[in-house]
Structure formats: C-alpha cells, structure tokens
C-alpha cells in the first residue's frame, strides 16, 4: 500500500493510527482493493475534531462507535450524554462523497435512535441537521460540545410556538417595538436564522432586543445569548439594561483575560475580546448572537468570529442599510452596508424604523441646524496663508524647517480646510466657533442642557475644552469646577484620564455641562439631556454623521427639551444633508495632495486672523416630514434656480434612462448649492455626487463624448446661471475662461 501527497510526494504510514502524524490535505489511497480505508482515515480526523470539541473517546459511554441499530444497520458514531443516553449521530464519509447527499442516511439513523441531532463529516468539514426543525443540513465550524448538546436536548421538551408567548410589555410598550419583535419571531418560526433590524438611534434597540430575547427564552428556542458590542462602555450599558429587564436570565460582562461564566445565560462582550476567545468555545455554545452596531469589519474581515457559532444571528443598527449605496460619499460606508447585507443574506433589513418615523410619532425630538463657517474654512478653493503673516521668530527650529519646506521659496501656501487640526491649527478659528456657539446657545427661555462637541484629535479636544471652559466661566459655581472637559479614545491619541468616570459625571451630574469628544461619544452613548451637538470636525462618513447626530434625539421633558440643535462649524451637513429618504450631497473641497498625505510629525499653528463669515450664518429647521426648511432667502434662490433648470431640461430634448438620471443629479446639485454656485463646469463632475458614479470620464460616456458634454454644460450655464460660455471653454480642463464670474 502506498499513499501519495499530490503532487508526487510518497509516504508509507505504519498503520491507520499513524496517519494522524502524516495527514495532509490532498492524500488519496491508490490501492483500490481497500475501498473503506479512505473512510477510516476520515474517521481519524473526525476523532480529532471530536476531541477538539471536548468529547472523551475512551470513557466508554460518551462516544459509541459502530453502534448497531434495530434494523441491522450501524451508526458510525453516537454521541451520548454523561449518563450514556444517545443525543446525536455522526455519519462519517470519505472525502469523495458529498456530505449533503448523506443527510437522509444520517436522518434515518437518528430516527431509529430517537435523537434529534445529525452530524455529517469527512474529517475536513462538519455539517449539522436538526431533524425536527431543519429541512436541509448546514455547514458549521465543528462539533457541538457535550454540554451544549445536553443543554439543547433538555430544553426541547419545553419548546413552544413563538406566537403563543406573550411579549413583555413592561420592557417594550411602543407599537413599532412590538411590530419589530413580531416580525423577527415570524422569521424565526419560518426557520430563518439571519435577521437585521434597522432602528433609528434613540428608539430603543437594546430594549427591543431584550424583549425579543426573553420571548425566545420562554419559548425554549434559545438557551444562551452572546451580545456583542465594539466598546467596553457600550458593554456596560447593555449589562445595565439586561440586568434591569431580564432579571430571570443572569448576564455577565466578559472582559479580556477572564473566563466564561457558564452559569450565566447572557454573555456581553466587545468585538475585540470575542475575536481572541471564540475558538475556545464550541459552535453550539451560543444559540443567539446579537451584534449591536459593531465595528464595520465584523461583517467583513472579522466575520469568522460570528460565523463560528451555529446560532441565530441578529444585527442591530441605526445605519440605513439599503442595496443602493452609490450615493454614499464615503467608500467605507458603502463597504459596510454591502458587507452587512451580504452577511445577513438580505437585500433589505428584516425590520426598519427610521428617524423620520420616530420624530413624526413623537418618540424622538425634532432638531434644527445652525450653520456657520469661519472666513478661512468657508473658502471654496482653500485659504491662502502669506509668508509675512506668520511669526517666524516665535517658531522652534523644527517648525520653521517644516514651514520653509511648505513655502518652498514661494510667498504663499494654500491650505485645505479639511487638514485643520490634523496638519494645521488656527487658534483664532477655534475661538471664533466657541464664541459663536455661546452667542447662539445662550438664549433666554431655552434649556442649555448638555452639549457634546465632536473634535478631531486629542490636542484639538483639549484646546476646545479649555476655550469652552473660559467662555462659560460666568456660569460656573466656583472657579475650580470644569464647565467643559474632554474625553478621548485610544483612536484619538490615547485615553483621557478616568474616561469612564468622566462620562458618568457628564450623564449624572451638573458638571461638566460640555464634553468634547474624540471617538468616544459618537455611537451608542445615551444621555437624554443633550440638547446641543457641535460639529467641530469634518467627516465624509454618512454613517458616522448620522450616529453623531443621534446623540441628541432622545426626549427629556424634565428639562423642557422639545428639540435639539446641531451647530455645524465644519460643513458636514452640507455634505450629508438631512433627507431621510435619500442622501443629498453638496460639493466638498478636494484634498490638497501636498498637504494632506502621510501622517504629519506635528500640527503646525497658523497664527493668523480668522472669524465667522457673516454670509455663512444660516438656520435650518425641519418640517413635519423631516425635510430641511431653509432660510427664506436660500429657499427663494433654490426655487428660482430649480425653475430655470427645468426650463433648460424641457428645451434640451429627449434623454435616455441613464442620461435622465445624470441630468436629475445635476438638477439636485445646482438647487442644493443655489446660494453659492454661479456656474456649472466639468470640474463639478470631480465632486459628489458624481464621483461615486465615475466622475467626468463617465459623464463623457453617458452624454456622448467631451464635445457633447461641453455643449450640454454651456446650455445649462446659459439658461440656469445666465452665463454665456462657448462650448469647450473650461477653467480646469484646458479651456480659456477663468473662475465663473
């Protein structure tokens, strides 16, 4: 007998048992006179897989081999409980046999033994079938442990139809929460094992999950739950919620380096901890895995941690998950939505409850937006800094060398506003936004409440906290109180001292009243008393923006809160809009490669004047449908531009379907920027929303080439902006005209 490892390597094991020392993928027996030997080798591998799951092969009762059945056939393996009673059969097959095709044979053996569970394996793969609930076998990550099979076998006799189990109205009492639980229950009853809930921030995702979990427990469909979050602070919040709502089902918070408490029914932990620990548990340890707005990679590169458990998978998110991701400004958002839908094998969430619905039904408070930009950050093409504006004598040698390199014998440099607080800082800009916030927020009769400020870096957060504290010093009961403070995550440059304690004080005590955050309060943080959100950082991520905005949506009638305000000093509402039916985008400044690439060694201080641009001040409120109501002046300009655009479109002639879509986007763009745009050019296709569709090159293809596109643009400018421009003239693509007049 000779065994070959393809290609070409020969080995001669001394016995079948010796094979475990030599086995490699690709082995095949060449001696056709021994047809069962290949299955024997598969059984060696199966033995190892059973040992990995904690099964004893030598105690005489846990695992039975070649068990003879009443019809004279033999089951390859029978898995028993500690008393030796059968619980499952394992059908072993050689690698050349399709395991799925063996399911009926395994089901037959299980019926003869009167056990519910069937495993199929060739030593490389394990498939599982519950003959009482499953029509098809499914591939799993390994064998269940003996404890897991015992637990699931024991509760089967108490299993009930979900529809006969009441929903606990003490946990959830809102119609949409009850509708959500009914929708999820119906899917589980149909045998579906992947569920996704999209529910706006502040509408009670955790409470809804708790009531759903209780219903599953009471129906004996599940016995253990994993609740997965991405930060320890969110894990503590979940622990508090489950302790309050699920007292009969004890939970524990698993921390790094701690052992699983097998006596607890619910395990709450972070993604990072579970990635390190999941291999220590059998695939049957959890029956339900709930992923609560976890890190984006959990549905992509780290999804193995979720797929390991043969459990019902429930995802909870406040992120709008739709299959149409073309309009998302950030590519990471697009990947998150697509990976999420692919993981749950859906084209839309199992249940949706949007922010607009929540506001309309008075479960969340409405909001308004105050926009203001400083002169420097409002500059469309970046702002210019002259050499003579800087105090070179005050710079240390390293800073001076960096600035000399940037100027490179020129008199000016152009700075991208998006590089502020990363590459450059302007102290006067930070002071200006702090002063502007105080002027607008301190209005008689309006509750000041709590304020969250979203900053860029630790240095930026510390600077803003000190400035806010100085500007609100008159409201402090004594000088040593911190009216404003800051909290920073590891991602923001290292955790601030006692971050958890500081967040707790912000929620439960009067001071600090303003908390500046870097990556700590963006998601999952609940504080109903928050009435102001200050956007001092720019983000291209629509998902992150909506999560940040969600920090203010909760009701707080005890402080007279009827709405909250977003103070936008960074232009994020320009980019992301606030139309919950779709994402409206406005042009954003392209990053300057020379100033925004690479990780800077330090932040360079631009000691130049900056102040709020009076023309940038604007209040936005939202109507009863959640749509932005612009100022009368802006609304009038948008309406006028819209009428002109429709006139151009009507006079242009027929468009095919793709051209009509692009024309509609052009119309949305010019209306959205009616107060700032004075012409449309080919450069506009280098900005959102067109970049997501292929930009200028794709626009040429859609409209029939560069000449046809130039003619179309000239027509738009002539009718919409009353600008006469010869086709082909372009200020950025080799034409002759300069900036639009």
């Amino acid at each position: 007998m000779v065994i070959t490892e393809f290609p070409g390597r020969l080995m001669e094991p001394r016995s079948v048992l010796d094979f475990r020392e030599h086995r490699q993928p690709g082995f095949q027996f060449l001696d056709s006179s021994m047809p069962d030997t290949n299955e024997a080798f598969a059984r060696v591998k199966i033995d190892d897989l059973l040992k990995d799951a904690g099964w004893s092969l030598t105690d005489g009762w846990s695992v039975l081999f070649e068990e003879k059945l009443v019809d004279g056939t033999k089951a390859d393996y029978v898995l028993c409980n500690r008393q030796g009673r059968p619980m499952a059969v394992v059908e072993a097959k050689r690698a050349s046999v399709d395991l799925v095709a063996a399911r009926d044979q395994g089901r037959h053996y299980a019926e003869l033994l009167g056990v519910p569970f069937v495993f199929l394996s060739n030593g490389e793969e394990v498939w599982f079938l519950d003959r009482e609930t499953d029509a098809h076998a499914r591939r799993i990550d390994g064998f269940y442990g003996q404890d897991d099979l015992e637990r699931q076998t024991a509760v089967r006799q108490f299993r009930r139809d979900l529809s006969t189990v009441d929903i606990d109205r003490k946990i959830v009492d809102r119609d949409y929460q009850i509708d959500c639980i009914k929708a999820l229950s119906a899917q589980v009853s149909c045998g579906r094992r992947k569920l996704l809930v999209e529910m706006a921030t502040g509408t009670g995702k955790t409470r809804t999950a708790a009531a759903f979990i209780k219903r599953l427990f009471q129906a004996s469909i599940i016995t253990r739950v994993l609740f997965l979050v991405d930060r320890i602070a969110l894990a503590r919040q979940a622990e508090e919620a489950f302790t309050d709502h699920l007292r009969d089902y004890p939970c524990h918070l698993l921390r790094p380096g701690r052992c699983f408490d097998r006596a607890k029914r619910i395990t709450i932990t972070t993604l990072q901890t579970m990635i390190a620990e999941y291999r220590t548990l059998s695939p049957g340890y959890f029956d339900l895995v709930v992923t609560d707005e976890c890190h984006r990679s959990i549905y992509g590169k780290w999804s193995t941690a979720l797929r390991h458990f043969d459990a019902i998978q429930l995802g909870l998110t406040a992120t709008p998950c739709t299959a149409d991701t073309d309009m998302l400004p950030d590519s990471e958002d697009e990947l998150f939505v697509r990976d999420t839908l692919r993981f749950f094998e859906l084209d839309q969430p199992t249940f949706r409850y949007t922010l607009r619905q929540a506001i309309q039904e008075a479960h969340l408070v409405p909001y308004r937006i105050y926009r203001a930009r400083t002169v420097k950050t409002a500059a469309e093409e970046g702002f210019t800094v002259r050499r003579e504006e800087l105090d070179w004598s005050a710079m240390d040698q390293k800073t001076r060398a960096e600035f000399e390199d940037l100027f490179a014998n020129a008199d000016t440099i152009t700075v991208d506003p998006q590089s502020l607080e990363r590459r450059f800082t302007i102290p006067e800009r930070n002071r200006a936004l702090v002063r502007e916030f105080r002027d607008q927020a301190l209005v008689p009769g309006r509750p000041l409440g709590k304020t969250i400020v979203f900053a860029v870096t630790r240095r930026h957060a510390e600077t803003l906290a000190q400035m806010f504290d100085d500007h609100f010093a008159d409201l402090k009961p004594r000088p040593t109180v911190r009216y404003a403070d800051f909290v920073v995550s590891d991602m923001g440059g290292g955790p601030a001292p006692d971050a958890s304690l500081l967040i707790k004080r912000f929620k439960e005590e009067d001071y600090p009243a303003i908390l500046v955050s870097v990556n700590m309060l963006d998601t999952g943080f609940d504080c109903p008393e928050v009435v102001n959100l200050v956007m001092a950082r720019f983000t291209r991520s629509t998902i992150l923006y909506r999560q940040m905005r969600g920090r203010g949506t909760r009701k707080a009638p005890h402080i007279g809160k009827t709405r909250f305000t977003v103070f936008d000093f960074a232009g994020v509402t320009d980019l992301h809009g606030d139309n919950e039916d779709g994402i409206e985008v406005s042009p954003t400044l392209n990053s300057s490669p020379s100033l925004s690439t690479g990780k800077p060694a330090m932040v360079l201080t631009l000691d130049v004047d900056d102040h709020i641009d009076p023309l940038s001040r604007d209040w936005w409120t939202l109507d009863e449908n959640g749509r932005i109501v612009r100022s009368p002046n802006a609304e009038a300009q948008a309406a006028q531009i819209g009428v002109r655009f429709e006139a151009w479109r009507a006079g242009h002639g027929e468009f095919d379907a793709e051209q009509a879509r692009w024309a509609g986007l052009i119309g949305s763009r010019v209306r959205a920027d009616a107060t700032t745009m004075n012409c449309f050019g080919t450069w506009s296709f280098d900005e959102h929303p067109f970049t997501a569709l292929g930009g200028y090159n794709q626009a040429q293809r859609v409209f029939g080439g560069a000449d046809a596109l130039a003619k179309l643009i000239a027509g738009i400018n002539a009718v919409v902006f009353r600008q006469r421009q010869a086709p082909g003239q372009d200020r950025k693509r080799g034409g002759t005209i300069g900036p639009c007049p």
Side-chain angles (χ1 to χ4, degrees):
M1 179 184 71
V2 177
I3 301 174
T4 180
E5 179 187 4
F6 295 109
R9 183 181 174 192
L10 299 181
M11 298 181 63
E12 294 185 1
R14 295 180 296 276
S15 69
V16 169
L17 293 179
D18 285 340
F19 178 72
R20 62 166 50 95
E21 301 176 5
H22 303 283
R23 64 180 184 273
Q24 296 289 338
F27 280 74
Q28 185 175 6
F29 278 92
L30 300 184
D31 189 347
S32 60
S33 66
M34 300 182 66
D36 293 329
T37 308
N38 207 9
E39 183 174 315
F41 278 179
R43 294 193 189 193
V44 172
K45 296 181 180 181
I46 292 171
D47 290 351
D48 286 345
L49 292 176
L50 288 169
K51 291 177 182 177
D52 290 342
W55 289 92
S56 171
L57 305 185
T58 58
D59 63 10
W61 62 80
S62 293
V63 181
L64 306 179
F65 304 91
E66 297 289 336
E67 183 70 6
K68 189 172 182 179
L69 306 178
V70 294
D71 66 348
T73 58
K74 293 181 179 180
D76 294 328
Y77 297 79
V78 176
L79 305 182
C80 303
N81 63 17
R82 289 179 179 84
Q83 290 73 44
R85 296 189 182 92
M87 297 185 293
V89 297
V90 179
E91 178 63 20
K93 293 296 179 185
R94 67 185 70 185
S96 59
V97 175
D98 182 6
L99 285 176
V100 176
R103 67 189 175 199
D104 290 337
Q105 184 180 1
R107 184 191 290 271
H108 174 66
Y109 293 159
E111 290 172 349
L112 293 177
L113 280 169
V115 299
F117 304 121
V118 178
F119 294 94
L120 313 171
S121 182
N122 57 13
E124 300 292 342
E125 298 178 4
V126 178
W127 289 64
F128 176 77
L129 173 75
D130 183 336
R131 69 179 181 86
E132 296 178 2
T133 60
D134 297 330
H136 299 277
R138 59 183 177 271
R139 184 173 178 177
I140 61 176
D141 214 26
F143 287 104
Y144 283 24
Q146 188 177 43
D147 289 346
D148 302 329
L149 278 182
E150 285 180 337
R151 189 180 67 256
Q152 295 200 18
T153 300
V155 300
R156 298 180 73 82
Q157 59 184 310
F158 305 108
R159 183 166 292 180
R160 298 165 57 189
D161 187 326
L162 265 177
S163 63
T164 67
V165 179
D166 292 335
I167 298 171
D168 191 339
R169 303 299 178 101
K170 294 179 181 178
I171 302 177
V172 292
D173 57 1
R174 297 176 180 177
D175 290 344
Y176 68 86
Q177 295 170 332
I178 294 166
D179 289 343
C180 177
I181 294 170
K182 288 181 177 178
L184 297 177
S185 299
Q187 294 296 301
V188 171
S189 297
C190 290
R192 294 190 174 92
R193 300 175 60 80
K194 292 191 175 182
L195 314 166
L196 178 62
V197 171
E198 175 196 323
M199 194 176 285
T201 298
T203 54
K205 292 191 298 294
T206 304
R207 293 174 70 98
T208 304
F212 179 57
I213 289 169
K214 184 173 184 178
R215 199 183 202 198
L216 292 176
F217 272 137
Q218 291 182 328
S220 295
I221 291 176
I222 62 171
T223 57
R224 280 199 185 125
V225 177
L226 170 64
F227 195 86
L228 200 60
V229 298
D230 69 343
R231 294 206 309 272
I232 192 65
L234 303 185
R236 292 193 191 100
Q237 282 186 188
E239 183 183 27
E240 292 173 1
F242 288 139
T243 300
D244 288 342
H245 302 313
L246 300 175
R247 297 183 182 276
D248 294 335
Y249 306 97
C251 67
H252 77 117
L253 175 56
L254 177 66
R255 298 175 182 273
R258 305 282 181 87
C259 294
F260 276 83
D261 187 344
R262 293 178 178 265
K264 299 296 173 63
R265 306 289 294 275
I266 302 172
T267 299
I268 304 166
T269 191
T270 63
L271 167 64
Q272 295 81 357
T273 300
M274 184 49 57
I275 287 173
E277 299 290 339
Y278 75 93
R279 283 294 182 187
T280 65
L281 303 172
S282 98
Y285 189 86
F286 293 112
D287 311 309
L288 173 67
V289 175
V290 183
T291 313
D292 185 21
E293 203 73 71
C294 226
H295 190 285
R296 299 178 194 184
S297 296
I298 192 61
Y299 300 123
K301 64 182 180 181
W302 289 339
S303 62
T304 304
L306 295 184
R307 298 179 194 276
H308 175 72
F309 298 107
D310 182 39
I312 298 170
Q313 298 280 351
L314 171 61
L316 306 176
T317 182
T319 301
C321 285
T322 61
D324 183 9
T325 58
D326 291 340
M327 299 300 289
L328 289 172
D330 185 64
S331 60
E332 286 295 313
D333 288 355
E334 179 180 343
L335 290 174
F336 171 63
V337 172
R338 290 182 177 177
D339 285 346
T340 301
L341 291 172
R342 183 169 60 248
F343 177 85
F344 288 100
E345 300 170 7
L346 298 167
D347 61 354
Q348 60 184 356
T350 310
F351 182 85
R352 295 185 71 215
Y353 189 71
T354 65
L355 178 65
R356 175 180 297 179
Q357 290 174 286
I359 292 175
Q360 287 177 335
E361 296 175 8
H363 295 304
L364 297 179
V365 295
Y367 62 101
R368 60 179 184 168
I369 301 168
Y370 179 74
R371 298 173 58 209
R373 307 282 291 278
T374 65
V375 173
K376 300 297 186 186
T377 55
E380 290 187 6
E381 299 297 333
F383 60 92
T384 299
V385 177
R386 298 190 304 275
R387 176 183 284 271
E388 59 268 24
E389 287 184 280
L390 301 180
D391 185 357
W392 293 83
S393 63
M395 299 180 190
D396 59 33
Q397 185 176 359
K398 185 175 182 180
T399 304
R400 185 185 183 96
E402 288 215 33
F403 270 116
E404 288 285 8
D405 184 58
L406 289 172
F407 278 96
N409 300 320
D411 293 328
T412 63
I413 58 174
T414 300
V415 177
D416 175 4
Q418 293 182 29
S419 67
L420 289 175
E421 306 308 331
R422 291 185 173 91
R423 189 71 174 93
F424 300 95
T425 184
I426 303 177
E428 285 304 311
R429 179 241 180 182
N430 290 322
R431 293 190 187 96
L433 70 87
V434 170
R435 287 192 296 265
E436 188 76 4
F437 170 75
R438 178 179 170 111
D439 291 344
Q440 299 298 330
L442 285 183
V443 176
R446 183 187 305 161
L448 185 58
K450 296 282 187 172
T451 297
I452 296 175
V453 182
F454 298 105
V456 180
T457 63
R458 180 191 178 97
R459 171 175 169 166
H460 189 213
E462 188 172 1
T463 298
L464 286 175
Q466 292 174 353
M467 289 182 175
F468 275 109
D469 200 70
D470 290 342
H471 280 75
F472 285 85
D474 58 310
L475 299 184
K476 300 198 296 186
R478 56 187 180 277
T480 56
V481 168
R482 290 183 181 176
Y483 192 88
D485 212 332
F486 71 99
V487 61
V488 184
S489 77
D490 292 336
M491 296 172 60
D498 301 320
S500 298
L501 179 61
L502 181 55
I503 291 173
K504 183 178 177 66
R505 290 210 314 267
F506 178 71
K507 292 179 64 172
E508 299 178 359
E509 301 177 15
D510 292 337
Y511 303 101
I514 298 174
L515 194 56
V516 187
S517 163
V518 181
N519 300 322
M520 282 295 285
L521 307 181
D522 303 350
T523 62
F525 173 71
D526 299 338
C527 181
E529 292 78 14
V530 170
V531 297
N532 300 309
L533 302 174
V534 178
M535 304 293 182
R537 62 165 290 188
F538 179 83
T539 177
R540 300 187 67 81
S541 170
T542 300
I543 291 174
L544 179 58
Y545 164 67
R546 294 191 178 198
Q547 289 171 334
M548 292 159 66
R549 183 188 61 187
R551 300 314 105 207
T553 58
R554 288 167 177 80
K555 300 169 69 174
H558 59 286
I559 64 169
K561 177 181 176 182
T562 58
R563 65 182 176 186
F564 70 97
T565 303
V566 176
F567 290 86
D568 181 11
F569 298 111
V572 288
T573 56
D574 259 348
L575 175 64
H576 301 297
D578 276 76
N579 178 358
E580 290 299 309
D581 280 345
I583 300 168
E584 298 175 352
V585 293
S586 300
T588 58
L589 185 66
N590 291 325
S591 298
S592 170
S594 62
L595 299 182
S596 60
T597 57
K599 184 177 181 180
M602 62 181 298
V603 176
L604 301 178
T605 300
L606 296 173
D607 191 12
V608 296
D609 181 58
D610 200 7
H611 56 276
I612 296 294
D613 181 357
L615 297 178
S616 73
R617 290 186 173 108
D618 194 13
W619 278 103
W620 288 358
T621 56
L622 294 148
D623 65 15
E624 64 277 7
N625 293 317
R627 299 182 186 276
I628 291 174
V629 178
R630 301 177 188 272
S631 63
N633 179 54
E635 200 66 43
Q637 291 186 56
Q640 184 181 48
I641 289 294
V643 169
R644 291 179 186 172
F645 181 82
E646 292 305 320
W648 166 81
R649 187 168 179 171
H652 181 275
E654 292 294 325
F655 285 123
D656 62 31
E658 189 173 15
Q659 290 171 339
R661 182 188 183 200
W662 279 71
L665 290 174
I666 293 172
S668 297
R669 167 70 184 281
V670 299
R671 281 189 290 268
D673 300 321
T675 59
T676 58
M677 181 181 286
N678 54 13
C679 74
F680 192 85
T682 57
W683 64 86
S684 300
F685 293 109
D686 294 331
E687 299 164 342
H688 292 285
F690 306 105
T691 51
L693 302 177
Y696 174 70
N697 291 334
Q698 184 70 357
Q700 288 186 81
R701 186 196 67 77
V702 170
F703 290 107
D707 291 342
L709 181 59
K711 183 178 179 181
L712 179 138
I713 292 171
I716 292 173
N717 287 327
V719 176
V720 178
F721 298 103
R722 309 291 172 83
Q723 303 288 345
R724 294 295 174 183
Q725 174 185 339
Q729 291 181 314
D730 191 304
R731 66 183 173 110
K732 285 194 177 180
R733 296 193 183 276
T736 58
I737 64 170
C740 297

